[in-house]
């Protein structure tokens, strides 16, 4: 018996959506990954989303970000494929800027979701390069469970650039947009550094709930 077969027995893989034993995404659940590309606006940021957030997409992203199923980036790349043309329509080189992760999340995951998505998109889009230039300058809380007002306050002023971005046309890359607080903060930090923020590209968009 090979070591890979032994690992499958001890730690069998499961579908990210229905949790059935087998591949990271079973053939039945693949149908939920239907691209529904559309534009959205949050404050000064005009974005493009591959699809709308659903319970299935949410489970997929949780498995990708929090359960160590980084290989799901292949399925996410297929979902985001329609956004490649949006990136490629700029004749000059463009930069894909991933949103940064909190240190504790990086240590838990072992990778930065936004960076992995940006690298995958960059490998598909001609003329696009990844620019990992955003870092967190202050401590922030996890955005999950926070209200719209709390999300905005949590990330406000938290990001800064760690290299020269002056004059560079950029797309911010993230997995989900809800209130847009993270994208707006990324836009602020990049713009302050002199970058030309064209917009944002995300896997999914969720309409923000009305702040209580």
């Amino acid at each position: 018996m090979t070591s890979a077969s032994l690992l499958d027995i001890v730690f069998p893989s499961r579908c990210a959506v229905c949790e059935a034993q087998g591949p990271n995404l079973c053939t039945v659940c693949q149908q939920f990954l239907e691209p529904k590309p559309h534009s959205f606006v949050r404050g000064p940021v005009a974005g493009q989303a591959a699809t709308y957030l659903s319970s299935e997409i949410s489970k997929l992203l949780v498995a990708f970000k929090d359960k160590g199923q980084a290989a799901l980036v292949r399925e996410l790349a297929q979902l985001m494929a329609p956004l490649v043309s949006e990136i490629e329509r700029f004749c000059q080189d463009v930069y894909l800027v991933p949103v940064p992760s909190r240190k504790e999340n990086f240590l838990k995951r072992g990778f930065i979701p936004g960076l992995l998505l940006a690298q995958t998109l960059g490998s598909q889009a001609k003329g696009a390069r990844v620019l990992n230039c955003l870092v967190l300058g202050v401590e922030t809380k996890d955005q999950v469970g926070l209200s719209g007002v709390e999300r905005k306050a949590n990330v406000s002023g938290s990001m800064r650039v760690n290299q020269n971005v002056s004059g560079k046309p950029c797309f911010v890359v993230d997995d989900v947009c809800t209130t847009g607080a993270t994208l707006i903060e990324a836009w602020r930090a990049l713009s302050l550094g002199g970058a030309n923020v064209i917009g944002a590209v995300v896997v999914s968009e969720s309409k923000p709930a009305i702040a209580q």
Side-chain angles (χ1 to χ4, degrees):
M1 181 180 294
T2 65
S3 59
S5 299
L6 181 60
L7 284 173
D8 287 338
I9 294 174
V10 179
F11 301 109
S13 62
R14 294 184 179 278
C15 173
V17 176
C18 69
E19 298 188 350
Q21 187 171 324
N24 284 336
L25 191 66
C26 72
T27 54
V28 174
C29 291
Q30 285 176 7
Q31 65 181 310
F32 296 117
L33 267 69
E34 179 185 358
K36 296 179 181 178
H38 62 278
S39 59
F40 66 89
V41 176
R42 295 291 191 276
V45 182
Q48 295 289 326
T51 191
Y52 293 96
L53 189 64
S54 63
S55 61
E56 294 81 13
I57 295 296
S58 179
K59 289 178 181 177
L60 183 69
L61 292 173
V62 168
F64 170 61
K65 294 196 303 181
D66 299 328
K67 295 184 179 180
Q69 292 180 254
L72 285 169
V73 72
R74 292 191 295 267
E75 284 76 15
L76 294 174
Q78 293 175 8
L79 189 61
M80 298 180 78
L83 304 185
V84 170
S85 59
E86 177 67 18
I87 297 169
E88 289 182 338
R89 70 187 184 87
F90 293 89
C91 58
Q92 76 271 41
D93 289 342
V94 295
Y95 295 87
L96 303 177
V97 180
V99 297
S101 283
R102 297 161 63 228
K103 183 178 179 180
E104 62 187 71
N105 284 342
F106 172 72
L107 293 174
K108 179 177 66 176
R109 297 166 178 158
F111 67 97
I112 300 173
L115 178 57
L116 193 53
L117 287 172
Q119 290 170 335
T120 304
L121 274 176
S123 68
Q124 298 180 69
K126 296 177 181 178
R129 289 182 284 178
V130 176
L131 184 62
N132 190 20
C133 63
L134 284 176
V135 295
L136 291 173
V138 298
E139 290 294 325
T140 60
K141 300 177 182 178
D142 196 311
Q143 294 278 73
V144 176
L146 299 181
S147 70
V149 173
E150 290 170 335
R151 284 171 179 254
K152 183 178 180 180
N154 184 44
V155 299
S156 181
S158 65
M159 298 182 196
R160 60 179 177 82
V161 295
N162 63 0
Q163 55 189 284
N164 181 26
V165 298
S166 181
K168 293 181 177 178
C170 300
F171 280 101
V172 179
V173 180
D174 201 2
D175 59 331
V176 177
C177 173
T178 51
T179 63
T182 299
L183 296 179
I184 293 171
E185 172 57 18
W187 173 89
R188 182 202 65 80
L190 287 168
S191 298
L192 192 62
N196 173 24
V197 186
I198 301 169
V201 288
V202 301
V203 175
S204 64
E205 179 215 9
S206 173
K207 294 296 183 182
I210 298 174
Q212 297 297 318

